[in-house]
Amino acid sequence: MTDFQAAKQIVRDYHRVLATATPGTIADVLAQTTSRDYIWRGMHPFNLLTGAADVARLFWAPLLTALTRLQRREDIFFAGLNEIDGETSTWVVSMGHLVGLFDAPWLGIPPTRKMTFLRYCEFHKIADGRIVETAQFCDIPHLMIQAGQNPFPPQTAAHLVQPGPIGHDGLLYDACDPAQGAATLATINAMISDLGTWNLGLPLEQELARTWHDDMIWWGPAGVGATYTIDRYATQHSGPFRAGFSERTKTRHMCRMAEGHFGGFFGWPNFTAVATGGFMGMPASGKAGEFRVIDIYRRDGDKLAENWIFIDILHYLNTLGLDVLDRMDGGFQT
């Protein structure tokens, strides 16, 4: 039995000191909790950053300036060994919302001076008592929508301030039975095996029913939206998505793990696909768009029941030549 409690405590301590950080102190906080060669993978326009100083200067300090009184409302927290590297590394996942008062511009997005929810998910790699690598996705388009700056056409599903798991049991601060995590990872892998082909020869609803409960909930990002039940997921996201792309590459992940009834993965990128038209109102491009994705799952019995998805849509659009944030006054300054 692998003990993840020490790794979990490192991330919980990091969150605790981060909660009291200011734009002026955040660099010291990161320096104390991360390694010297710290790697941080974020969404567009931040992308890949190295070293605590740049992560503090380019991401955290501007965010703490914009979203004052920032607090973390965590819904899911778990740890595990990374299947992708042969279970040689330990990672800790945190997912929920960062909540604050939107008091100053961020990335050129005008402030509302109102309460704002920023969906987030973090994967932290732990080694030698420090965080050595992070993948951190935030749903920036959802923040834009809250600020009245919706950059997208009407989406196929509904986007909301998204809740955590239905049982409110996603915070795995204590140790779990490793057999449960193994079962969750096996179910996720079976789903990936089905999804990765787009060519099982089954009707889409029957394909999904192999690994998903009929009352599944797919908590998609802003621009796509959330769907409930296999039937609505097929008609409101999966079907239109498959119809809008061709030449999808195989799924690639940097980390895939599970603990208890929760698991997930991220890729950099997960896959590429050529837009043949229709997705998010975009015309056919003939170009291969790149998808960076984080997926978090809840297993119920032998099938998946809930899925929280973070797609770096701004990066995907940027690979097609559309920089959404360029339209904002001020934009991103390096």
Side-chain angles (χ1 to χ4, degrees):
M1 181 175 178
T2 302
D3 185 3
F4 302 120
Q5 296 309 104
K8 290 179 182 178
Q9 192 59 53
I10 289 168
V11 174
R12 295 185 72 185
D13 289 344
Y14 162 69
H15 287 167
R16 177 178 50 79
V17 294
L18 188 62
T20 61
T22 67
T25 64
I26 184 59
D28 289 338
V29 167
L30 291 185
Q32 292 166 14
T33 54
T34 63
S35 62
R36 289 189 177 182
D37 56 352
Y38 180 50
I39 297 172
W40 187 91
R41 292 179 171 87
M43 53 283 130
H44 178 80
F46 304 101
N47 302 306
L48 179 65
L49 301 177
T50 56
D54 275 357
V55 177
R57 177 175 63 88
L58 294 172
F59 178 73
W60 278 113
L63 182 64
L64 292 172
T65 300
L67 297 186
T68 62
R69 305 293 296 270
L70 193 69
Q71 66 173 230
R72 182 182 303 267
R73 298 184 66 87
E74 191 173 52
D75 293 311
I76 292 177
F77 183 88
F78 66 92
L81 296 176
N82 181 7
E83 180 184 61
I84 302 302
D85 64 10
E87 299 188 341
T88 61
S89 61
T90 297
W91 294 68
V92 179
V93 173
S94 173
M95 189 206 85
H97 291 84
L98 300 176
V99 183
L101 300 171
F102 195 1
D103 285 344
W106 187 53
L107 301 175
I109 306 167
T112 63
R113 295 190 54 80
K114 297 178 181 179
M115 188 180 189
T116 299
F117 286 70
L118 180 61
R119 292 179 70 227
Y120 82 89
C121 189
E122 305 166 343
F123 277 65
H124 298 290
K125 181 179 178 180
I126 309 300
D128 299 323
R130 288 182 176 263
I131 300 171
V132 300
E133 188 172 337
T134 296
Q136 181 166 352
F137 284 20
C138 298
D139 197 339
I140 296 173
H142 185 219
L143 184 143
M144 296 173 69
I145 292 170
Q146 293 173 73
Q149 304 292 318
N150 189 349
F152 305 128
Q155 55 196 14
T156 55
H159 192 76
L160 316 161
V161 173
Q162 298 182 358
I166 193 170
H168 302 281
D169 55 354
L171 300 176
L172 307 186
Y173 295 142
D174 298 323
C176 296
D177 178 0
Q180 294 296 328
T184 299
L185 191 57
T187 306
I188 292 172
N189 283 334
M191 180 275 302
I192 292 171
S193 178
D194 286 356
L195 177 67
T197 65
W198 282 10
N199 191 29
L200 277 184
L202 295 173
L204 178 55
E205 291 81 357
Q206 290 183 28
E207 174 192 314
L208 293 167
R210 288 160 53 97
T211 52
W212 293 92
H213 284 287
D214 181 65
D215 61 351
M216 65 173 287
I217 300 182
W218 191 86
W219 299 106
V224 180
T227 67
Y228 172 45
T229 74
I230 282 178
D231 177 67
R232 297 299 170 88
Y233 173 64
T235 59
Q236 294 177 349
H237 175 65
S238 188
F241 187 83
R242 294 188 186 193
F245 290 94
S246 65
E247 301 178 46
R248 184 190 191 277
T249 62
K250 290 184 178 181
T251 299
R252 301 187 299 270
H253 294 147
M254 296 192 69
C255 180
R256 190 188 306 155
M257 51 182 277
E259 185 183 27
H261 289 82
F262 295 88
F265 55 71
F266 78 88
W268 196 267
N270 286 53
F271 63 92
T272 63
V274 175
T276 55
F279 181 61
M280 297 178 60
M282 293 289 289
S285 68
K287 299 179 180 178
E290 191 172 85
F291 285 87
R292 299 169 176 168
V293 184
I294 285 179
D295 274 74
I296 302 298
Y297 299 90
R298 178 178 69 85
R299 176 182 59 86
D300 182 4
D302 61 353
K303 293 186 178 182
L304 301 173
E306 292 187 88
N307 182 196
W308 294 263
I309 302 90
F310 297 76
I311 302 175
D312 191 352
I313 289 177
L314 297 183
H315 171 70
Y316 160 72
L317 294 174
N318 194 52
T319 62
L320 299 183
L322 175 60
D323 190 338
V324 172
L325 292 176
D326 239 9
R327 302 176 178 181
M328 309 303 296
D329 184 24
F332 176 67
Q333 303 297 321
T334 59

